[in-house]
Amino acid sequence: MVIPVRLRSPAWLVVVVVAVVLGGCPGGGPARGPEPPVPPSPTTGPWLDPVAPDGAIGAAASVIVEALAADGSWVLLCQAQDTDHDGTRSATFMDGYVMGDRMVSTLVLGSGEGAAIDAPLATSVDDRWLAVWRTGGLHLIDVRARTVTEVTPVLATDRDPPPIAAAFSNDGGWMAWSLGSTMTLRALDTGAQRTLELGGRIWSLEPAPGRSTWVKAEVVGRDTDGDGQVVARWGINDSRPSPCSHPWDDGTFGRIGDEADVVWVDLASGDQRTEPPPVHPVDPPSRAVIAREMGNDLVVARDVRGRRLVVTTRASDREPARGPLHWTK
């Protein structure tokens, strides 16, 4: 994934601004002091992976389908890159380990070879919005508009894991993301943001059940094990993780250290409470089905409309399937 470049103001706009500042305002009023600095706005740019003319998804490479939108509008792949520089993108499995080229998480919007990410963090209930982590930044992707917003540019200065958490409210209007003890609430329609301090390291975020603007935050702020310090860190639960495992997948990694307290936050108002909010039940949305539930075949996924996602070469005991992939009836 390419981080969009922050656009500069055009030269004529700079001239106008300088003229106004030097000349003052009409009417001869008193000159104002310097304006306080304005923090940079999040940078938004186009999704740079081009659409494939034939609708192909992914590259001619070893591939595993990790997740996809209900309607197939985005697909998350674990896809090989040519890390051994032999001109091919191939991986093999041996005794539970991956040999050959490294496989990395790769996101495809519609079609194309895809863009590498470090990990997906959250998906909106309608599959329109994706929050993804890349080293050095949190990116918000609008699948419909095919745009990427760099919500926060530098996270590497926060060295205590986990570096980031994110969630979308189930009403479809809000996103929350956290770094350290700070939670940021973002309106998806306007991009307006506000911050809250939750009094401890925010370990995870997830939407409240039903259609609401609430999210659940796990906050590590107390020395619950009595060792004189407050600690939260990742521990490995699986000695043989899958090729594209990451700390947010809830399988390979888990939290160790002090226990977390639960704080419920209303993203619309900023209100906080320790008891769950009222639940407004809704029928769960239909989801796509991926290969782990369908068996070993050319068909690796099926969307809610019944379309089948097929690979070029089926998987074997020692090799993943190969792309590119295509939709078929």
Side-chain angles (χ1 to χ4, degrees), residues 4-240:
V5 177
R6 196 180 303 278
L7 300 178
R8 298 179 181 272
S9 299
W12 65 265
L13 180 58
V14 175
V15 173
V16 172
V17 172
V18 171
V20 171
V21 172
L22 295 180
C25 299
R32 294 184 298 174
E35 294 290 338
V38 177
S41 301
T43 304
T44 299
W47 179 257
L48 296 181
D49 179 47
V51 173
D54 62 352
I57 297 168
S62 298
V63 66
I64 301 170
V65 176
E66 296 282 305
L68 67 157
D71 62 358
S73 56
W74 57 262
V75 181
L76 179 66
L77 305 174
C78 182
Q79 182 169 264
Q81 302 294 324
D82 184 16
T83 53
D84 60 10
H85 308 293
D86 67 351
T88 65
R89 298 168 65 172
S90 299
T92 58
F93 298 143
M94 183 177 296
D95 297 328
Y97 296 96
V98 179
M99 312 294 289
D101 289 314
R102 182 186 171 208
M103 300 183 74
V104 301
S105 295
T106 304
L107 182 63
V108 178
L109 303 189
S111 67
E113 290 200 1
I117 64 173
D118 288 323
L121 297 181
T123 306
S124 65
V125 68
D126 61 357
D127 284 321
R128 173 180 176 177
W129 301 93
L130 300 170
V132 303
W133 163 258
R134 298 189 74 234
T135 302
L138 169 67
H139 291 177
L140 174 64
I141 299 170
D142 184 340
V143 177
R144 295 179 192 169
R146 295 181 64 84
T147 58
V148 184
T149 299
E150 187 184 56
V151 176
T152 187
V154 179
L155 304 177
T157 56
D158 188 31
R159 300 184 182 276
D160 296 327
I164 196 75
F168 295 94
S169 62
N170 274 337
D171 76 324
W174 296 87
M175 171 189 177
W177 62 271
S178 63
L179 179 63
S181 63
T182 303
M183 177 190 286
T184 300
L185 322 180
R186 180 185 178 92
L188 292 174
D189 58 348
T190 65
Q193 297 187 156
R194 60 181 295 195
T195 60
L196 299 175
E197 291 295 324
L198 297 192
R201 186 162 192 82
I202 302 168
W203 180 265
S204 67
L205 297 171
E206 63 179 88
R211 185 177 179 84
S212 77
T213 57
W214 291 82
V215 298
K216 173 185 175 182
E218 288 191 314
V219 182
V220 181
R222 297 184 298 118
D223 178 17
T224 60
D225 58 13
D227 66 353
Q229 56 184 341
V230 178
V231 176
R233 63 183 185 273
W234 294 112
I236 298 178
N237 295 332
D238 188 344
S239 60
R240 294 184 177 181

Side-chain angles (χ1 to χ4, degrees), residues 246-259:
H246 53 83
W248 295 274
D249 64 12
D250 295 328
T252 305
F253 298 85
R255 186 184 67 237
I256 59 177
D258 292 301
E259 294 298 319

